[in-house]
Amino acid sequence: MSGESKYRLLLVEDDSVIAEEMMRHLESWGYEVFCVKDFGNVLGEFAACAPQLVLLDIGLPCFNGYYWCAQIRQISQVPIIFVSSAGDNMNIVMAVNMGGDDFLTKPFELEVLSAKVQAMLRRAYAFRGATSVMEYQGMILDLTDASLLAEGQKVELTKNEFRILQILFENPGETVSREAIMKRLWDNDCFVDDNTLTVNITRLRRKLESAGAGQLIKTRKGLGYGIGERI
């Protein structure tokens, strides 16, 4: 055991036999391993998992690994190791150019896999924390740069707009009271006019509407706001 169980890995491999073998071996080293199930929604599963490292095959259903690497790189600098039988120089160069950090050619020894993973995590997180994102119905809130990715568009948020979305993303399907949101925004400043929150919500909705997500925030009159079906 390496004792590095705090690290969460996302495995994007459509061969179930290979994926199972890799997952078992990495779990024996104390890693938490998630395997992608929906290969048409790799980005959504990435956001839901929020891994510290991605193991990414090139030949995948729907879109190839290069495509998903580029998508992930729009929202995260998480380490990505390509794992593929296409280990010729052209594919290795392409993988690096698309944002990959390392390349492991199939077939490989499982000990080589765990050694590469260990080395990559050590390099990536010795001096910095993991990139953090939150996901709701394909929309991705990036906690590192206060932005939202919706319908393929990146929406830049103000500090207050980001905090509003963050508390709503933390409570999907629930109504968050105006008081709770105001406390998050202004830390119980009793001099803040209640109307200020309404103005912030209105501006945020306008931004979301321009990105095709105008219906994301729902109002429960007299109680608060929320996202999700139960609101």
Side-chain angles (χ1 to χ4, degrees):
M1 278 287 192
S2 71
E4 297 190 67
S5 56
K6 63 179 179 177
Y7 289 115
R8 192 162 48 251
L9 315 181
L10 182 67
L11 179 54
V12 191
E13 168 62 70
D14 63 321
D15 185 316
S16 58
V17 175
I18 295 175
E20 182 67 29
E21 197 176 8
M22 291 172 67
M23 182 172 72
R24 252 198 326 265
H25 178 74
L26 291 166
E27 284 179 341
S28 76
W29 277 84
Y31 299 110
E32 193 176 3
V33 184
F34 294 86
C35 294
V36 163
K37 300 287 192 297
D38 182 359
F39 290 95
N41 185 35
V42 172
L43 193 63
E45 295 202 21
F46 167 83
C49 171
Q52 279 81 50
L53 183 142
V54 177
L55 293 159
L56 181 61
D57 194 5
I58 294 175
L60 296 167
C62 302
F63 302 98
N64 65 26
Y66 299 135
Y67 171 84
W68 290 118
C69 182
Q71 292 294 302
I72 291 170
R73 280 289 170 261
Q74 288 187 30
I75 61 169
S76 173
Q77 292 303 311
V78 66
I80 297 174
I81 300 177
F82 276 91
V83 182
S84 174
S85 55
D88 56 275
N89 286 342
M90 187 183 75
N91 278 291
I92 293 173
V93 169
M94 176 78 79
V96 172
N97 287 340
M98 294 302 290
D101 297 284
D102 204 346
F103 199 105
L104 183 57
T105 304
K106 298 176 184 175
F108 53 83
E109 296 294 326
L110 289 170
E111 288 73 20
V112 175
L113 169 68
S114 48
K116 276 187 174 285
V117 166
Q118 273 185 301
M120 183 61 66
L121 289 170
R122 195 163 51 243
R123 287 199 300 271
Y125 300 111
F127 302 107
R128 63 182 175 86
T131 297
S132 192
V133 294
M134 301 176 76
E135 186 266 350
Y136 178 75
Q137 291 189 352
M139 285 170 279
I140 296 167
L141 185 65
D142 191 329
L143 307 185
T144 61
D145 69 356
S147 69
L148 180 76
L149 191 68
E151 302 294 330
Q153 293 186 51
K154 189 168 185 176
V155 181
E156 303 293 344
L157 304 168
T158 66
K159 182 176 70 173
N160 283 350
E161 291 164 351
F162 167 70
R163 286 176 176 173
I164 291 168
L165 280 184
Q166 186 178 18
I167 194 171
L168 297 182
F169 270 62
E170 287 168 359
N171 300 276
E174 305 295 332
T175 300
V176 182
S177 70
R178 292 177 62 88
E179 291 74 20
I181 297 173
M182 290 176 72
K183 183 178 180 183
R184 175 72 68 92
L185 266 56
W186 296 290
D187 196 23
N188 267 341
D189 188 341
C190 58
F191 297 106
V192 174
D193 189 335
D194 184 66
N195 188 53
T196 307
L197 176 59
T198 304
V199 171
N200 276 267
I201 292 281
T202 301
R203 286 176 179 164
L204 175 56
R205 277 181 165 149
R206 202 172 296 137
K207 279 190 181 180
L208 294 173
E209 192 172 349
S210 68
Q215 301 304 310
L216 175 62
I217 300 176
K218 297 178 173 61
T219 302
R220 192 164 178 196
K221 204 161 181 62
L223 295 175
Y225 303 96
I227 58 175
E229 295 307 314
R230 285 192 286 165
I231 299 304

